[in-house]
Amino acid sequence: MEIKVNFLDKLRLEAKFDDFTVIADQPIRYKGDGSAPGPFDYFLASSALCAAYFVKLYCVNRNISTENIRLSQNNIVDPENRYQQIFKIQVELPADISEADRRGILRSIERCTVKKVVQAGPEFVIEEVESLDADAQSLLTLAPADDASTYIVGKDLPLEQTIANMSGILAKLGIKIEIASWRNIVPNVWSLHIRDAHSPMCFTNGKGATKESALASALGEYIERTNNNHFYAGAFWGEDIANAPFVHYPNERWFKPGKKDALPKEILDAHCRKIYDPEGELRGSHLYDTNSGNTERGICSLPYVRQSDGEVVYFPSNLVENLFVSNGMSAGNTLAEAQVQCLSEIFERAVKREILEGEIALPDVPEDVLAKYPGIVAGIEGLEGQGFPVLVKDASLGGEYPVMCVTLMNPRTGGVFASFGAHPSFEVALERSLTELLQGRSFEGLNDLPQPTFNSEAVSESNNFVEHFIDSSGLVSWRFFSAKTDYEFVEWDFSGKGENSNAEEAATLFGILEGMGKEVYTAVYDELGAIACRILVPGYSEVYPVDDLIWDNTNKALLFRKDILNLHRLDDAALVDLLDRLDNNELDDYSDIATLIGIEFDENTDWGQLTVLELKLLINLALKQFDVAQELVGAFLQYNDNTVERGLFYQALNVVLEVQLDDDLELDDYVANFRRMFGDARMDAVIGSIDGSVRFFGLTPTSIKLEGLDRHHRLIDSYRKLHTARGAAAGLAE
């Protein structure tokens, strides 16, 4: 994590990281003002808080109340060496907690991350740089030996060289990558989380049988997502980029809708139009891109090569973003390597969907076949040793597809997790199924798995597949676990042979799609110094339903973005118009405004917590439509998951509106005790919201220029690095 420090007045310091700001001071005896804890105080508190977190986590997972649990920490200083200290953490537990849970709670504290880092002894590196912002040196901490040369199946270069190449590409772009966490809870299963230190919204996860393979996986995913702009999907890129010579890629083209908003003839082909516009309802305006919001330019469209004949077909960027999300994108040392990874993931997700929605019962992998892969068996035994039964199944549907499945059962909660993996190699597909299962998960995280069901409609519902796509946390049918299988086991092998194995495998996978009658469209992106690709298989590799282009398109942001950002500048007529649009576009009242308009608000601000319902409430309040406002306040308080402070504001507003709307009550008769209950500052805000002197309480003014939205500017900064590199590669000046 990158922490930037600013020097304030006197001895006060300000540390900024992610979306948080921490102020430190020194006690008066050390020439400070004592206005905030000192740096060492924060350090001491961090270990106590970390210990308490693990106690809380243990108790929450076992439905143990923490109401009567108390924890304290004292540091005992050696009088002869003040740097030699004992941290004594004491826990007071209620009498009714079982002996097993008492031991479990104490053991949970041993897992405290702060404690482990201190005990291991962190290494400090102190250095001078010309510019903190310009320093793009990678923060990756994995340093293999200089002569290491580890090859794994599927990679055309050794892992060490792959990692070095990808790290160098990101550093050259000015992206400082940091490793936020590692996990290795069973043998031969590693995962990690990496992110952009400046823009932590840009992150990926990696998985593998070793540390090196997991890191290569994470970096590869990061590069594929930068090349395909996935980190910035749905976000507003600002007016400067919206009006630049290009927005997404230098080879994009813009086409304007025809008469009566007809689809431009230049986009898609006959095959795709049958899939995406079967009823003739799709209009040109449905395909404006969300990122620029520049409808005057037309529909931003990207070139894809049709695999069957090499012809270029233009796909609206909006269509790709809305329906395919991150499915069908990959990066590699070579194009063939990237294509194999890309196609493997397409098959993994499509076959997974077919199996889960069809409630297909898969055959188990025989023990003698599993025994050929001792590393994978060790991981499975590690899980079963922790009390999680594991089922290893052949998901190839009779040898048709290169897909495997590892399913975990949690007898403690009755939950299950079906993890799928794909690759032309049987072993790699199996390994990916296992590592996907535990990517970023702790044993406690396995307590959140959903229980199987016999409800076929719930399993086949489209949103269930979306949940499986996001993190494999969707529902699984009990029929999936039947001992009477729908297919026989096949020890399949689609792998290539020799030096051109990836090229052979890519041809094999393309051939499977061709045999299915699927048309395939590909785009290659290498302007950033890496090789990445995107593959679309219309009617097969979409994640979201085609109907979303009409009924739940992300470019609905264009109906609201400008007015919501200019909220404080709108007159009553404009507010009424905005309210009508919010009411008449079938929005979920509890969906967040940040997602709706594509803005990365600081999650710790009222903007970051703002929902459609609360925005309607505030607009009605500004329009002095108090009866509607009171009704919405009731709904807000009933389902409020906002901050305690925000909830108290609306509790106070609710009682003031009660008085305001009752002809028999006078506010002056109650305001004194309201102030005693809610405080003067809160009551001033409430009364000001009623009389109009306070508008949109808690929402700091901004505009389409994005003033004050530091988190969103960091996201744009991240994208601008890619935009600049692409422009330079195409010979276009910024």
Side-chain angles (χ1 to χ4, degrees):
M1 178 172 67
E2 183 178 53
I3 303 171
K4 290 190 175 179
V5 178
N6 298 318
F7 297 93
L8 305 181
D9 59 300
K10 299 184 179 178
L11 296 181
R12 294 171 70 247
L13 303 168
E14 175 187 73
K16 287 183 169 290
F17 52 94
D18 293 346
D19 293 325
F20 300 99
T21 299
V22 173
I23 303 296
D25 199 353
Q26 292 292 332
I28 294 173
R29 65 181 180 276
Y30 295 141
K31 310 300 184 183
D33 292 332
S35 62
F40 190 67
D41 300 325
Y42 280 115
F43 168 67
L44 294 176
S46 70
S47 61
L49 291 169
C50 186
Y53 162 74
F54 280 98
V55 170
K56 181 75 172 180
L57 193 64
Y58 180 93
C59 293
V60 167
N61 286 327
R62 289 159 181 81
N63 294 317
I64 299 172
S65 172
T66 56
E67 184 177 356
N68 295 314
I69 296 178
R70 301 170 64 199
L71 183 146
S72 71
Q73 173 184 294
N74 291 281
N75 61 310
I76 303 168
V77 183
D78 185 330
E80 296 183 1
N81 181 1
R82 67 190 182 99
Y83 301 116
Q84 186 71 43
Q85 301 191 16
I86 297 172
F87 286 18
K88 179 179 282 188
I89 297 174
Q90 297 176 311
V91 187
E92 180 182 312
L93 300 173
D96 60 351
I97 289 184
S98 71
E99 187 59 35
D101 282 329
R102 288 173 184 274
R103 292 194 302 270
I105 288 172
L106 294 179
R107 283 198 305 270
S108 73
I109 296 175
E110 293 293 334
R111 300 178 56 215
C112 169
T113 310
V114 176
K115 167 184 168 294
K116 289 186 175 183
V117 170
V118 171
Q119 287 178 324
E123 179 183 351
F124 286 82
V125 177
I126 301 170
E127 62 184 8
E128 179 187 1
V129 296
E130 290 186 8
S131 167
L132 290 176
D133 293 328
D135 173 33
Q137 180 180 354
S138 174
L139 300 182
L140 305 178
T141 58
L142 195 60
D146 292 337
D147 59 349
S149 184
T150 308
Y151 281 90
I152 63 171
V153 177
K155 290 293 180 189
D156 286 329
L157 290 176
L159 284 176
E160 294 79 10
Q161 188 175 345
T162 300
I163 292 168
N165 291 347
M166 291 190 290
S167 299
I169 288 166
L170 292 172
K172 187 176 180 180
L173 289 170
I175 297 172
K176 187 188 294 186
I177 293 292
E178 61 183 10
I179 296 178
S181 65
W182 282 99
R183 287 195 186 275
N184 173 222
I185 62 175
V186 299
N188 308 316
V189 179
W190 287 83
S191 69
L192 78 159
H193 177 87
I194 65 172
R195 63 187 187 181
D196 183 339
H198 178 66
S199 178
M201 301 80 77
C202 303
F203 65 87
T204 58
N205 299 302
K207 59 186 184 294
T210 66
K211 289 184 293 184
E212 291 81 6
S213 60
L215 179 55
S217 166
L219 289 169
E221 186 171 287
Y222 200 98
I223 285 177
E224 82 181 34
R225 295 187 176 205
T226 55
N227 277 273
N228 286 280
N229 293 344
H230 180 69
F231 290 133
Y232 321 97
F236 177 45
W237 294 347
E239 292 183 313
D240 288 346
I241 292 176
N243 293 295
F246 70 94
V247 173
H248 295 257
Y249 300 95
N251 62 355
E252 69 193 22
R253 292 184 63 187
W254 296 73
F255 304 110
K256 292 192 175 183
K259 293 180 179 178
K260 297 182 180 180
D261 202 15
L263 297 180
K265 65 179 184 302
E266 296 92 346
I267 65 170
L268 304 175
D269 58 14
H271 174 76
C272 292
R273 291 203 179 206
K274 288 179 182 178
I275 294 170
Y276 299 126
D277 190 25
E279 306 296 329
E281 296 178 303
L282 190 63
R283 314 315 304 157
S285 56
H286 290 134
L287 300 175
Y288 290 132
D289 81 298
T290 308
N291 308 109
S292 75
N294 193 340
T295 58
E296 292 299 315
R297 290 180 79 163
I299 298 168
C300 184
S301 303
L302 310 177
Y304 282 77
V305 175
R306 192 164 55 206
Q307 189 73 12
S308 61
D309 59 7
E311 289 295 315
V312 173
V313 176
Y314 281 89
F315 281 74
S317 64
N318 169 283
L319 183 149
V320 176
E321 174 192 308
N322 269 280
L323 301 185
F324 294 91
V325 202
S326 65
N327 197 23
M329 59 175 67
S330 190
N333 292 298
T334 63
L335 178 57
E337 179 185 311
Q339 288 175 330
V340 170
Q341 172 67 13
C342 195
L343 291 164
S344 295
E345 288 191 353
I346 287 173
F347 280 117
E348 172 194 317
R349 288 153 180 168
V351 173
K352 175 181 182 178
R353 182 172 197 159
E354 181 178 349
I355 290 167
L356 295 178
E357 291 184 355
E359 300 175 288
I360 294 171
L362 300 175
D364 292 325
V365 177
E367 292 293 332
D368 62 320
V369 175
L370 270 182
K372 298 177 182 179
Y373 314 109
I376 294 171
V377 171
I380 292 169
E381 290 175 345
L383 283 170
E384 295 197 326
Q386 292 290 328
F388 299 105
V390 175
L391 308 175
V392 183
K393 294 182 175 291
D394 168 24
S396 69
L397 302 184
E400 292 293 318
Y401 306 103
V403 185
M404 297 296 293
C405 175
V406 174
T407 301
L408 176 141
M409 307 173 79
N410 188 343
R412 301 185 188 101
T413 63
V416 300
F417 184 177
S419 175
F420 289 73
H423 189 270
S425 162
F426 185 97
E427 179 181 7
V428 174
L430 182 54
E431 178 189 290
R432 287 182 176 176
S433 299
L434 180 60
T435 54
E436 173 69 25
L437 178 69
L438 293 177
Q439 180 170 278
R441 287 182 172 85
S442 62
F443 287 129
E444 287 82 2
L446 298 174
N447 291 327
D448 298 328
L449 306 179
Q451 299 174 1
T453 179
F454 278 110
N455 184 342
S456 299
E457 290 185 5
V459 172
S460 61
E461 203 272 326
S462 61
N463 282 338
N464 188 50
F465 174 66
V466 174
E467 293 297 321
H468 276 289
F469 173 79
I470 294 170
D471 60 6
S472 296
S473 65
L475 291 171
V476 177
S477 172
W478 269 119
R479 294 177 177 84
F480 175 82
F481 296 93
S482 173
K484 183 180 179 181
T485 63
D486 294 299
Y487 292 89
E488 296 294 324
F489 169 75
V490 176
E491 191 175 0
W492 49 266
D493 182 16
F494 294 88
S495 59
K497 304 294 185 286
E499 294 182 359
N500 297 316
S501 59
N502 272 319
E504 293 176 20
E505 290 169 0
T508 297
L509 299 180
F510 278 124
I512 294 173
L513 290 170
E514 183 180 0
M516 296 168 63
K518 301 297 182 184
E519 191 70 80
V520 179
Y521 304 80
T522 64
V524 177
Y525 300 114
D526 56 7
E527 308 93 339
L528 302 181
I531 297 176
C533 68
R534 175 129 211 181
I535 298 177
L536 310 179
V537 188
Y540 189 68
S541 64
E542 294 88 354
V543 174
Y544 285 95
V546 171
D547 285 350
D548 278 8
L549 289 174
I550 297 173
W551 303 111
D552 195 21
N553 195 307
T554 58
N555 76 3
K556 61 180 176 286
L558 307 185
L559 294 173
F560 307 104
R561 180 187 289 152
K562 186 174 183 179
D563 281 347
I564 290 176
L565 290 174
N566 289 323
L567 190 63
H568 293 78
R569 296 173 173 80
L570 302 185
D571 59 21
D572 284 359
L575 287 175
V576 169
D577 182 60
L578 173 58
L579 191 58
D580 285 343
R581 276 176 275 142
L582 289 169
D583 283 331
N584 296 322
N585 277 278
E586 299 183 357
L587 302 176
D588 179 354
D589 273 350
Y590 295 95
S591 61
D592 60 274
I593 292 297
T595 301
L596 175 65
I597 64 174
I599 299 293
E600 283 284 348
F601 294 112
D602 183 337
E603 295 175 355
N604 304 302
T605 65
D606 292 324
W607 273 114
Q609 297 287 317
L610 188 66
T611 62
V612 171
L613 183 146
E614 188 181 0
L615 179 58
K616 290 180 181 179
L617 192 169
L618 292 170
I619 294 173
N620 276 288
L621 203 57
L623 294 171
K624 297 188 182 301
Q625 297 173 171
F626 297 137
D627 52 344
V628 180
Q630 185 188 34
E631 181 181 334
L632 294 173
V633 168
F636 178 92
L637 292 174
Q638 184 176 3
Y639 298 104
N640 173 41
D641 59 358
N642 208 303
T643 62
V644 172
E645 177 64 29
R646 199 68 171 165
L648 287 170
F649 168 76
Y650 283 113
Q651 286 183 45
L653 178 62
N654 191 45
V655 295
V656 171
L657 285 172
E658 288 274 7
V659 174
Q660 183 78 17
L661 293 170
D662 192 322
D663 293 337
D664 296 329
L665 300 177
E666 292 292 336
L667 184 59
D668 289 344
D669 296 335
Y670 295 89
V671 72
N673 281 322
F674 284 170
R675 288 184 179 278
R676 295 184 70 182
M677 173 67 79
F678 298 109
D680 285 337
R682 192 173 293 117
M683 282 304 300
D684 288 344
V686 167
I687 293 171
S689 298
I690 297 293
D691 66 27
S693 60
V694 174
R695 286 164 65 87
F696 312 112
F697 174 68
L699 304 182
T700 54
T702 183
S703 77
I704 198 69
K705 300 292 185 184
L706 308 173
E707 298 94 337
L709 302 181
D710 177 66
R711 179 179 170 89
H712 192 79
H713 279 291
R714 281 184 277 146
L715 184 69
I716 294 176
D717 288 346
S718 175
Y719 179 66
R720 194 178 295 280
K721 294 171 185 175
L722 314 184
H723 195 267
T724 300
R726 287 178 180 134
L732 301 173
E734 272 287 293

